[in-house]
Amino acid sequence: MAMPIVKRNHDRAADAVQVEPFNQFDQFGREMFNFFDPWRPLIGAVSLQGYTPLADIEETDDAFVMEVELPGVKKGDITIEVSGRRMSVRGERKEKERDGILRRSERIVGNFSYEVTLPNDIDPDKVEASLEEGVLTVKAPKAQGARPKRIELN
């Protein structure tokens, strides 16, 4: 690890030394960013085709519930498709128009895609989706034959 960046303050005595700790955090952040670069498509970041948003998928007795993080994305910029056991979410996060000078840009913009193959068929006619507080929630009920059925003992 590099040594702290030291600035000499010439307004004070010649032996006064001032350490800039936040420069260390910036440098550490850049090093971590470069370290994870080869794994970026696997951890929900940028690839040549766009980026993959982070998501959770929960299975209940009668449905699959998918929650996808899409902060800053508008409803009209999202497409959801279901087919058999496959569900996909595609869209675009657009660059915000700015009046001033952008000094730092770390948020991902551009096309995104998230696809998953579920363990059971879903009923495409009953899929519901909503977007609230930057989280897309898709509830996909299982097809009738895929739902567990309890058998009573005689």
Side-chain angles (χ1 to χ4, degrees):
M1 181 169 227
M3 296 297 294
I5 296 172
V6 177
K7 278 190 169 179
R8 298 253 179 223
N9 189 341
H10 298 293
D11 294 337
R12 297 184 187 171
D15 61 342
V17 174
Q18 182 178 348
V19 177
E20 296 287 337
F22 293 106
N23 289 339
Q24 288 285 59
F25 288 121
D26 282 343
Q27 182 179 354
F28 178 72
R30 284 190 299 273
E31 289 174 7
M32 291 299 293
F33 185 82
N34 291 334
F35 175 77
F36 286 109
D37 204 37
W39 297 289
R40 196 165 306 259
L42 302 175
I43 59 174
V46 181
S47 70
L48 293 175
Q49 295 80 25
Y51 70 96
T52 303
L54 300 175
D56 293 334
I57 300 174
E58 177 184 0
E59 180 178 2
T60 64
D61 286 341
D62 60 343
F64 294 97
V65 180
M66 179 172 61
E67 295 176 325
V68 184
E69 291 184 5
L70 297 174
V73 179
K74 296 180 178 155
K75 290 180 182 182
D77 295 332
I78 301 171
T79 302
I80 303 166
E81 295 179 356
V82 293
S83 176
R85 296 175 28 206
R86 189 144 191 84
M87 232 180 355
S88 67
V89 176
R90 288 181 173 63
E92 180 181 10
R93 180 182 294 146
K94 296 180 179 173
E95 181 75 34
K96 178 182 175 183
E97 289 190 33
R98 301 181 189 280
D99 294 330
I101 299 169
L102 184 62
R103 298 289 183 182
R104 181 177 236 163
S105 178
E106 296 179 350
R107 295 189 289 171
I108 300 170
V109 294
N111 294 324
F112 62 86
S113 174
Y114 184 85
E115 296 184 21
V116 64
T117 301
L118 301 167
N120 301 93
D121 285 343
I122 56 177
D123 187 347
D125 296 327
K126 296 183 181 175
V127 174
E128 298 174 357
S130 63
L131 181 66
E132 292 182 32
E133 298 181 11
V135 178
L136 172 69
T137 303
V138 181
K139 184 175 182 181
K142 293 178 183 178
Q144 200 63 27
R147 295 182 185 177
K149 182 178 178 184
R150 289 189 176 223
I151 307 298
E152 296 293 327
L153 292 173
N154 293 327

